[in-house]
Amino acid sequence: MRYVIDIYGVFVPALLLWIVVAYVLSALLRRLMQRFDLYRLVWHRALFDFAIFICLLGGVVYLSEYLS
């Protein structure tokens, strides 16, 4: 896994890009959960959203080794 990615001469930490990808995925998942009213099953919405984001971030970082 590369730790720094070069984007048009600007070095960006790879973790920053993976955080953006995980945030977009979690935003889509949040909309899906709101549409089907699944938040009524969750005790603490903000904590649940944060946990989902962390799980998605871990998955994206894990899969990034296979994509590069």
Side-chain angles (χ1 to χ4, degrees), residues 42-55:
V42 175
W43 172 67
H44 196 283
R45 182 177 173 172
L47 186 61
F48 182 78
D49 286 342
F50 182 68
I52 291 293
F53 173 74
I54 294 299
C55 290

Side-chain angles (χ1 to χ4, degrees), residues 3-66:
Y3 296 109
V4 177
I5 297 174
D6 182 15
I7 300 177
Y8 298 111
V10 177
F11 292 111
V12 178
L15 183 61
L16 179 64
L17 295 177
W18 302 142
I19 286 173
V20 170
V21 170
Y23 179 75
V24 169
L25 290 175
S26 70
L28 293 173
L29 189 60
R30 275 185 279 152
R31 280 195 182 172
L32 190 67
M33 289 186 67
Q34 283 177 345
R35 177 169 294 215
F36 293 112
D37 196 29
L38 294 175
Y39 275 120
R40 61 184 167 81
L41 303 172
V42 175
W43 172 67
H44 196 283
R45 182 177 173 172
L47 186 61
F48 182 78
D49 286 342
F50 182 68
I52 291 293
F53 173 74
I54 294 299
C55 290
L56 286 172
L57 180 60
V60 167
V61 170
Y62 179 74
L63 291 176
S64 71
E65 293 181 2
Y66 298 110

